[in-house]
Structure formats: C-alpha cells, structure tokens
Amino acid sequence: MASRSLAATGTVLAALLLIVAGVWQVLTGVAAVVRGGYFTAPADYPFAFSVAAWGWVHLIVGVFAVVVGIGLFTGAVVWRLLGIALACCSLVSSFLWIPFEPWWSVLVIALDVLVIWSLLNAGDRPIRDRFADH
C-alpha cells in the first residue's frame, strides 16, 4: 500500500520534474543554438551532429516536457502515456549528450528513470495493470 501512495505522489513529482527538466532543456537548447561554441564534444564522437542541431533537439524536447508536465496535473492517462514516451526520448537524448555535459546528462537520465517509474505506477490503477487485462 505504501508503494501506491508513493507512486500517486510520484505523479506530482514526475510532473514537476518534467517541467523543471523541460525548462533546463529549453535553456540548454537556446544556448546551443545561439552560442554553439560553449559546448564541445570529442572529435571522434560518432553522433557528430552540429551543436546547433543538438540545440534544436533539446529545445523541442524541452518545450514538449513543459507541456506534458503541465498536462500531468489533470491526471488523465493520455498525459501519463505521453510523459512516459517523452521521458524515454529525454533519456535517449541525454545519453547522446553525455560527451557535451556528462554530469548533467547522468542526472537527467536518473530523473527520467524516476519519472518513467512513477508514471507507470501512478493513479488508482497502474498502466501496466491496464495492459495486463487484454
């Protein structure tokens, strides 16, 4: 039972984390687009997009994170599903951003895992139980 109350509280936490992480990603994206020389990656980095391209990725993910984070406060299942999908996208983009900002990327990855867990287990009936019925 304690796990349920922790998960229900986790929805609010997930919403707040998505909003804060989204704002951070928007700021990182703007910094990368406007002043790309601030971020550097190793010369042999296999995902050699330009810093501006990574900036646009972070900017788009950040805007969606803020919107989905606000939507999570409604409690609708669709926002939870979008939050899980967005946290997965954020996790992947943060993993690929490790050469640019290693400490922040690892922190965001850990927070994305927490967001995914809490959204999967939140509410009166966890999402995984909804799919188990079919």
Side-chain angles (χ1 to χ4, degrees):
M1 189 67 177
S3 177
R4 280 275 187 250
S5 62
L6 177 63
T9 305
T11 302
V12 174
L13 177 65
L16 293 173
L17 288 175
L18 277 175
I19 291 168
V20 169
V23 169
W24 176 260
Q25 288 202 13
V26 166
L27 294 175
T28 301
V30 169
V33 169
V34 172
R35 191 167 173 207
Y38 175 75
F39 299 105
T40 58
D44 59 345
Y45 185 53
F47 302 101
F49 298 127
S50 71
V51 174
W54 278 115
W56 282 107
V57 168
H58 282 286
L59 190 63
I60 292 167
V61 169
V63 168
F64 281 126
V66 170
V67 170
V68 171
I70 292 168
L72 281 171
F73 287 112
T74 67
V77 174
V78 68
W79 289 109
R80 286 172 47 197
L81 293 172
L82 287 171
I84 292 166
L86 184 67
C88 290
C89 291
S90 174
L91 195 145
V92 170
S93 70
S94 294
F95 177 76
L96 295 174
W97 189 249
I98 286 176
F100 296 96
E101 289 285 332
W103 292 107
W104 178 254
S105 295
V106 170
L107 177 65
V108 171
I109 289 169
L111 293 176
D112 286 335
V113 170
L114 177 61
V115 167
I116 293 167
W117 178 86
S118 65
L119 292 176
L120 282 173
N121 292 296
D124 58 342
R125 191 168 172 210
I127 289 176
R128 67 172 185 269
D129 292 347
R130 293 174 192 261
F131 291 112
D133 291 344
H134 300 332

